[in-house]
Structures are given as structure tokens and as C-alpha cells.
Amino acid sequence: MVISSEDELDKLKAIGRLCAQAMETMAKSLEPGITTKELDDIGRKLLEDNGAQSAPETCYQFPGATCISVNEEVAHGIPGGRVIKAGDLVNIDVSAVKDGFFGDCGASYAVPPVRREIEKLCRDGKRALWTGLQQVKAGAPIAGIGNSIGAFAKKNRYTLITNLSSHGIGLTLHDEPKEIPTWPEKSERRIMEEGLVFTVEPFLSLGGTWAEDGDNDDPWTLYSDPNAPTVQYEHTIVATKNGPLILTLTN
């Protein structure tokens, strides 16, 4: 999607803010003993109380309002009876739709007490996201995002999951441009145009390079291969001549 009016931008800001508020509210409730279903209910209530609907549920019949992935799960974890424990690494991914416009954000949280390497992974996952965001500007190459994140990961001895990409968003959850790499990709030749709406969401890992399906009973949850702690941080943004306009902020 390329924004064509102030009304479109206002609606994208509104749904982006709601997604961020839902994720932040869920994160504040994250503690040992809570189930992923209870966390999901918190996010659902905030979205629905503000006139929004879950995007994965609406678009793909996902069995939950949000995606909650724990430890070995990299993405698309189904909310359920799993009990959060001290030391867990939890990813919360919230995407929603309101007034025909979509927003999407995600973040990983370590439940104390956690190992120092996991604390560092979370800190560096945020740094990887901002490294990519700094490359966003109208007229700049999309490849700059993946190249900068790849250089950051290599310098700091991390790997990247290379089959979970960023994506266009706006009038649909997965809009054009499809599959924006957050790793170095020589075939990427596209240019960001003014008003282009998309996500930036690197998956930084302590060894994982691929996201694999689980068993046949769960067609949704993805796991890192090789199995390794992995974090994801995500914003929905608009490319402008002055850089990225971040839509998924709480204020």
C-alpha cells in the first residue's frame, strides 16, 4: 500500500497505536503462572473494546486473537493452556484491523530471572530492528534493510531466520511489497517509494537459520532450525523522504 491521503494515514496510525497498546498491555501482565490463553484474552479485549478485530483470526482463521510463541517456538504460537514459567522467552505478535486498515507489531520478552545471553539477545534484537529502520527512506533501496541487519548480526555473532520476512501492509495484512528480506539478499532490487507502508521485523537468533513447521496436529506454530533461542521485534512503518514514520507506537 502507498498512502494517498491524510485520512488513510490517520486510520493507519489509529490501528497501529491499538496494536502497540494491546502488545504493551499483554507484556505488563506477563508473569509466571499466567497461561498464553489468558494473555491472549487481554489483547483481544483491548482490541475489541476499541472497535478493532484480530487480523490473523479474521484473515486466516487463526485459533487466537494474537500469536504468542514461547522458547522453542519462533512464530505463530497458538494461545492455549501453556503456563508461563520464570526464565521463559515469550514473543507477542499483535496484528489487527479497524476501518479497513491493518497494523502489525511484535516484541520478545524474557521472564526473570533469565540467563545473561538471553538478556543480551533481547537487547540486540531491538538494536537489529532499529538498524533496519535507519535504512528506511523514500528513494532508498529495500535491500539496505537486510544488508544492515545482516552486517549487525554477523558482527555480533548472531544468525537470522531467513524464511520469515517483513511484508507490505495496509489494506490487507500481507500487502505489496511481499517478502521484504531482513537479511542480505542479492536479488532484492526494489526501491522504497514515498508513502509505502510495510513492516520491519528481523528474527535474530543464537544459531537458528530457518523456521520449520511442527507436527501435523498444529499447522501454525513455527520452530527454529537448528533449535536455538530466537527473538523478533517488529514495527509497521511508512517510508517518507525524512525516514521512517513508525505507526505502532503507544502515543
Side-chain angles (χ1 to χ4, degrees):
M1 176 186 179
V2 177
I3 291 175
S4 60
S5 70
E6 282 297 320
D7 181 62
E8 289 180 343
L9 179 57
D10 288 344
K11 288 178 178 177
L12 283 165
K13 286 180 177 178
I15 187 58
R17 189 180 308 113
L18 279 178
C19 289
Q21 289 171 344
M23 186 181 74
E24 186 174 283
T25 302
M26 293 167 70
K28 288 178 179 177
S29 301
L30 187 59
E31 62 182 10
I34 195 169
T35 67
T36 54
K37 174 63 165 60
E38 289 169 334
L39 275 179
D40 186 62
D41 287 342
I42 291 168
R44 178 190 297 280
K45 185 175 189 306
L46 190 145
L47 292 174
E48 293 182 351
D49 284 352
N50 288 278
Q53 292 80 45
S54 159
E57 199 171 55
T58 301
C59 299
Y60 301 118
Q61 291 75 56
F62 180 76
T66 67
C67 299
I68 304 174
S69 308
V70 184
N71 293 338
E72 71 281 359
E73 302 168 348
V74 173
H76 305 161
I78 300 172
R82 184 167 186 166
V83 178
I84 299 299
K85 301 181 179 65
D88 280 347
L89 180 61
V90 183
N91 179 265
I92 299 173
D93 195 320
V94 179
S95 56
V97 57
K98 181 179 180 181
D99 296 329
F101 291 85
F102 288 77
D104 192 358
C105 63
S108 297
Y109 303 89
V111 182
V114 293
R115 304 194 312 273
R116 183 173 297 176
E117 66 174 359
I118 300 300
E119 288 183 354
K120 185 174 183 295
L121 176 63
C122 291
R123 185 188 72 218
D124 286 343
K126 296 173 189 175
R127 291 173 65 197
L129 169 61
W130 284 98
T131 296
L133 289 173
Q134 287 169 1
Q135 308 307 311
V136 174
K137 190 174 184 179
I142 284 178
I145 298 169
N147 289 341
S148 65
I149 293 171
F152 174 86
K154 184 176 181 180
K155 178 181 178 181
N156 292 282
R157 299 184 179 180
Y158 293 106
T159 56
L160 293 163
I161 302 295
T162 56
N163 64 327
L164 289 175
S165 61
S166 304
H167 55 89
I169 189 171
L171 295 173
T172 62
L173 178 57
H174 294 97
D175 210 329
E176 295 293 339
K178 299 285 178 65
E179 297 183 358
I180 298 171
T182 50
W183 57 88
E185 178 56 67
K186 291 181 180 178
S187 64
E188 178 54 71
R189 295 283 187 266
R190 294 170 294 183
I191 300 295
M192 296 174 239
E193 60 181 298
E194 179 83 23
L196 185 65
V197 189
F198 60 99
T199 70
V200 177
E201 50 175 314
F203 287 78
L204 196 71
S205 182
L206 288 172
T209 59
W210 202 255
E212 290 282 2
D213 294 330
D215 57 46
N216 293 332
D217 294 332
D218 177 0
W220 296 102
T221 308
L222 298 173
Y223 301 82
S224 77
D225 181 26
N227 189 354
T230 303
V231 295
Q232 176 248 28
Y233 293 88
E234 174 185 16
H235 275 307
T236 295
I237 60 97
V238 180
T240 79
K241 61 185 179 182
N242 297 317
L245 173 62
I246 300 174
L247 301 176
T248 42
L249 297 173
T250 55
N251 51 33

